[in-house]
Amino acid sequence: MTAQGRESGFGKDLIGLEALTGDQIEAILDTAEPFKEISERKIKKVPVLRGQTIVNLFLEPSTRTRISFEFAEKRLSADTVNISSAGSSVQKGETLVDTARNLEAMRIHMVVVRHGSSGAAKFLADRIPSNVINAGDGQHEHPTQALLDLLTIRDRFGAIAGRRVCIVGDILHSRVARSNIWGLLKCGADVAVCGPRTLIPAGIEELGVQRLDSIEEAIEWCDVLYVLRLQLERMEGGYVPSLREYNRVFGVSSERLGRAGDEMIVLHPGPMNRGVEIDSDVADGPRSVILPQVTNGVAVRMAVLYLLAGGRPELAEDAKAAAR
Amino acid sequence: MSGSLLLTGGRVIDPSSGLDEVRDVLVRDGRVEAVEQGVAGPEGIPRIEAEGLVVAPGLIDVHVHLREPGAEHKETIRTGAQSAAAGGFTTIWAMPNTDPPLDDPAAVGFVREEARRWARKGEGGARVSPVAAASLGLAGEQMTEIGGLVEAGAVAVTDDGHPIHDPALMRRLLEYTQSFGIPVLQHAEDMALSAGGVMNESAVATALGLRGIPNASEATVVARDIYLAELTGGHVHVQHVSTREAVELIRVARERGVRVSGEASPHHMALTEEAVRGYRTEAKMNPPLRSAADRLAVRQGLIDGVLECVATDHAPHHYEEKEREFDDAPFGIVGLETALAVCIGELVKPGDLPLFDLVERMSTAPARLMGIEGGTLRPGSRADLVLFDPDEEWTVDPASFRSKSRNTPFGGWEVTGRVKRTIVGGETRYRDESAGPD
Ligand SMILES: [Zn+2]
């Protein structure tokens, strides 16, 4: 198989969930199901991507997402190379277009890219024949994070359609929020956002979500409370007066969860600021599905890699069986 | 005979005298001598067949960035003036945000003389009038020596590229410039409100994850400047008006007699923020492309005459500079060679603005507004003319631009209206080669 012009049913790349249909998203989640089981096995490897080279191009610091992708790639037997901003030519002023040219010259099959600028993943995808997977671009999208969140919600409720999901916190700067909004809406969920008005972006309702101003109202309303990380630099930007104030007004505490429905679950993309956006007893409590999220992350990324490499959703089971 | 020619059979549109009829135009020694039917013309004068073409006073663009001195890889005075001539412009105003900026008489004189030098060598284009910096180093603190700058050839002052932020400085400028009868051109933007923004603030920016620039960042500065113009009696000209709020503020202020004027750019009338989707850096400019409602308001502002003139904000950037992450790409697009056709397509073709009025907005109005020569074909006036085919359809090919830069959102557009010849002081400075030999 060459890197030239390969296409899955989802296109050459995975840049964001905005471009996908609900059916395509559900198909990725279906494909992830059999891959979950592989991670439970003693020998956690299948030969699906043997001989394929994947570059993990992380031009913005990230530990969890990079490690999750690496596990996924290795479990599919791909050859991987990691390039991170520290110490690479990228930090020495190489432009993204030069990076793209170099990647093209290396004839690699796939690039997993994390970048601080919105649109960077698409920029790369438009310029190289390799499959490009967006592992987070600026404040735009982080599609595999949303896919693992969707899988976690589906695992718990059996279906995403009809569920009420409220995303709480810094929506303005969050690519995780954007990808989740698109994914949830396309899969038929009701979506709301809740947070200080300074961190709710312009025209959010036009995307098809409602805005809730109080965390109490949000907790009563939703089946899924998706708590975002509050980045500490938001205080310096003047968006919130202090972390203490943020916790007082929007922090998710077990006391506040007293208003929640019995089935309500709490998600968080990590890493958490305990005592700021979420209290420890909630993060570690019975409603939290934060650890299953991490497990699902590897399975979903395996599914995405498999599908972009040309695998078909219904063959995922067979691919797994063949490895036995 | 240099500077003399006879244009025969063209449709002469001269808004300064209300003329829109088929006439011959006789030019002698760089001046318009007669605009009549059946002009015989003296022996030996070159005759140019203009049947089917519009003959109009040369277009005037009061907002152009020529990049020289300092960024000659983007544009030079020579290429910028030639690009202007190819777009039908006979006079352009060069903004002072060069390196070094045009904040002293030597720099202002350099721009003027450089344009003249190329013209003498037969490589000229439009006339180039330098606009001087309003503050030293464009730093927004100390007023430049405006008297000396005007003596050196400056026609106005601005800190364009940056706003004049300090209200006290703006007040002093609006007072001081009155001694010289020149306007203060303002790039209206509150930098604290727009900080870090790269496109219009809206649902589109939210979806793209790009930082937005709110309409209020323009409107608040326009409102302030209107009150300062009212206080001082000075003339503030709002550059590249992009918001419905600013159009409305200018409309109301003009009704009560404030000396405020505004310009509309072809791109703000032709495009909305939707053009940014896909992270297209050729649609990144400041002020940004706005919503559909803003676009309509700017168009209507020009149609109603609230915004008196069209100006391109021609802002060349090298290909490599635009070929990068949206956040990091520079603001600005080129506009000189597409302005007329884009305006014809956007305003004249749909029937919103008669061609006569468009010529007025692009030629007569800016001359009148700024108190400069041009914008007329009255006998005795300078023979600055444009000949264009208002119906010719063509495809915008950035590779064919005279400009050094190609950063346009209009590449590949099917447009209507093509410049055939541009005449400056009776001398042809541009001719469409596809029209065949002279
Ligand atoms: Zn400007």
Side-chain angles (χ1 to χ4, degrees), chain A residues 46-229:
Chain A
V46 288
V48 168
L49 295 183
R50 184 172 289 155
Q52 304 260 317
T53 37
I54 302 180
V55 168
N56 297 312
L57 181 66
F58 277 68
L59 303 179
E60 193 187 63
S62 154
T63 312
R64 332 180 128 228
T65 304
R66 185 176 53 76
I67 288 173
S68 181
F69 265 109
E70 268 192 74
F71 273 126
E73 291 154 4
K74 295 209 158 99
R75 285 174 192 176
L76 294 173
S77 310
D79 298 323
T80 64
V81 179
N82 292 325
I83 303 175
S84 60
S85 45
S88 74
S89 57
V90 177
Q91 207 183 30
K92 298 182 190 108
E94 182 181 281
T95 62
L96 193 54
V97 68
D98 282 331
T99 304
R101 284 175 192 140
N102 291 336
L103 288 171
E104 189 182 348
M106 288 187 270
R107 303 265 178 265
I108 37 134
H109 295 88
M110 291 191 185
V111 180
V112 176
V113 60
R114 158 70 62 97
H115 194 289
S117 279
S118 299
K122 178 177 162 47
F123 182 97
L124 210 54
D126 288 346
R127 284 161 182 80
I128 59 175
S130 323
N131 305 113
V132 172
I133 298 170
N134 183 6
D137 65 324
Q139 294 157 8
H140 175 225
E141 285 224 40
H142 190 354
T144 58
Q145 173 71 45
L147 287 167
L148 74 88
D149 297 329
L150 292 167
L151 187 59
T152 306
I153 295 168
R154 200 174 80 164
D155 285 350
R156 179 57 64 106
F157 293 106
I160 297 160
R163 290 294 154 187
R164 293 171 159 186
V165 183
C166 184
I167 306 172
V168 181
D170 180 2
I171 313 294
L172 181 64
H173 299 95
S174 175
R175 54 193 171 212
V176 172
R178 284 170 179 74
S179 284
N180 265 290
I181 287 170
W182 296 123
L184 288 162
L185 289 174
K186 284 161 191 283
C187 292
D190 282 341
V191 185
V193 295
C194 175
R197 288 286 184 108
T198 48
L199 293 172
I200 305 292
I204 189 80
E205 295 98 332
E206 292 172 49
L207 270 47
V209 309
Q210 58 172 309
R211 199 176 54 202
L212 302 174
D213 278 319
S214 97
I215 185 72
E216 287 81 9
E217 190 188 355
I219 287 169
E220 275 181 39
W221 176 82
C222 71
D223 301 313
V224 177
L225 191 70
Y226 196 113
V227 185
L228 294 171
R229 170 182 167 78

Side-chain angles (χ1 to χ4, degrees), chain B residues 63 65 160-162 186-189 239-240 286-287 313:
Chain B
H63 194 157
H65 297 270
D160 183 45
H162 309 280
Q186 172 72 305
H187 168 118
E189 175 186 358
Q239 301 178 296
H240 41 50
N286 187 14
D313 189 14

Side-chain angles (χ1 to χ4, degrees), chain A residues 18 96-97 101 115 117-120 122-123 127 139-140 178 182 201-204 206-207 239, chain B residues 201-211 277-279 319-320 322-328:
Chain A
E18 187 184 1
L96 193 54
V97 68
R101 284 175 192 140
H115 194 289
S117 279
S118 299
K122 178 177 162 47
F123 182 97
R127 284 161 182 80
Q139 294 157 8
H140 175 225
R178 284 170 179 74
W182 296 123
I204 189 80
E206 292 172 49
L207 270 47
Y239 294 98
Chain B
E201 180 174 305
S202 68
V204 179
T206 293
L208 291 170
L210 293 173
R211 176 116 35 141
R277 286 195 195 272
Y279 301 94
Y319 174 79
E320 295 281 355
K322 280 283 197 180
E323 177 75 351
R324 51 184 318 175
E325 298 90 312
F326 196 88
D327 280 337
D328 298 335

